[in-house]
Amino acid sequence: MTENNNVKVTPWDVEGVVDYDKLIKQFGVKYITDEQKKYLKELAKKKGLKEHIFIKRNLFFAQMDLDKVIDSHKKGEPIFLYTGRAPGGSMHIGHLIPFMFTKYLQDLFDCNLYIQIPDDEKFLFKKDLNQKKINEMVKSDLDDISAIGFNPDKTFIFKNTKFIQKMYPLILETSKRITFSQARNTFGFEGNSNIGQIFYPSLQIVPTFFEKGFCLIPCAIDQNPYFLLQRDFAEKLGYKKNCTILSKFLTSLTGPEGKMSASNSDKAILLTDEPSQVKKKINKYAFSGGKPTLEEHRKEGGNCDIDVSFQWLYNLFESDDNKIEEIRKEYSSGNMLSGEIKKLLIEKINYLLTLHREAKDEAKDSGLLEKYMKTGKLAKTMWEREF
Ligand code: TYM
């Protein structure tokens, strides 16, 4: 946990304008290096893929021990991926980021992937949520995750409340090695934190022990504290220290403070938003770097550094360097208006969401979720395994 100058970053909350240079030091992680980017780019080329826009534009910007994963992969040793999603609200476009990137990494490394659905986490951390509400949310989250296109024989998706029996011996080993002081220092627990919250970190750490090779975890940087803690005792248990690849936060539509959150759904783009809702939200809320009057804008131009539409196009959607630089030039010279850059973004978001909805329907029709959770090759082995 880090908290200073009204900026707070925990796995549950992000407040204020995050200074990533500072956060990197406070969280004990490092920037992704050019060498690491080069390796991923070459690997992509071999697989007939392009460098991912999230890497190219530094949305994924930090890491812990990515070199170890790369070295291990070079030697042909097995590595594995692990990520997760805690149901507790509607999924928004920010939540898609780690999943889309994880799918890309699975294609690159052709490795196993474990997706944890901690259907206990938000119940413990959010006062107003009951288990019935969460169970309803689990279903729709699972459909969204099934739409991403993970390899059905190399992906295991599990809910904590169901898989806990299998994981329990490892949970015991883990929880015995984390003291209350460590948990308090890492997560900021206080006297009124419920004891479920204090126990929960061991559940999020355990999947890093599902295999003996290096575990690479793609997620936003808010989740790193769990994985930093894992490194204190993983080797004592006979496993490797886990490795992470970390993204910045997609902020709310209104600007640079905090992270996008479903609890402020007007200012977030939800995966269920219809094209007309996307249009309305972007036109109404997407923070503009344009000038207040047409005259001023034509004369002085817009500021791309603070314009949410430009930032989203840059970080998420427009991977063609020439096209994005052309947009930058046109907007900052005043030739392109705020309404025009918003229109570009609306088209891109609606295209992504339409594809996502189609993939979701297809996944439902083909029973893909059943494969990820029960019948696929990896899922089957996991249910048969003893830990
Ligand atoms: P959750 O459900 O809050 O978020 C799911 C994933 O989305 C990332 N994320 C974001 N990324 C970019 N911009 C945002 N605005 C944004 N909001 C959320 C999160 O970092 C996360 O990767 N405790 C976890 C669930 C979990 C998990 C894991 C996550 C269990 N095991 C292993 C990562 C890796 C949670 O509450 O995520």
Side-chain angles (χ1 to χ4, degrees), residues 371-385:
K371 286 202 177 135
Y372 291 137
M373 298 191 84
K374 280 187 200 146
T375 57
K377 206 167 150 198
L378 182 63
K380 252 183 159 168
T381 341
M382 290 304 283
W383 282 107
E384 282 160 11
R385 247 178 92 174

Side-chain angles (χ1 to χ4, degrees), residues 210-232:
F210 280 178
E211 294 188 14
K212 291 280 178 179
F214 282 103
C215 173
L216 177 63
I217 307 160
C219 55
I221 192 167
D222 59 338
Q223 300 296 314
N224 202 70
Y226 292 105
F227 308 120
L228 194 63
L229 206 52
Q230 186 266 20
R231 296 163 66 84
D232 285 345

Side-chain angles (χ1 to χ4, degrees), residues 8-15 222 259:
K8 181 179 168 194
V9 180
T10 74
W12 310 284
D13 277 316
V14 179
E15 286 168 16
D222 59 338
K259 64 172 178 175

Side-chain angles (χ1 to χ4, degrees), residues 82 85-86 94 98 116 121-122 204 219-220 222-223 250 260:
Y82 160 48
R85 154 77 185 151
Q116 181 173 48
E121 181 182 3
K122 301 256 158 97
Q204 184 153 333
C219 55
D222 59 338
Q223 300 296 314
L250 195 65
M260 181 170 280

Side-chain angles (χ1 to χ4, degrees), residues 21 35 40 48 124 182 184 209 255 341 376:
D21 289 332
E35 277 298 297
L40 295 178
L124 294 166
Q182 277 175 310
R184 186 178 47 197
F209 303 138
I341 200 168

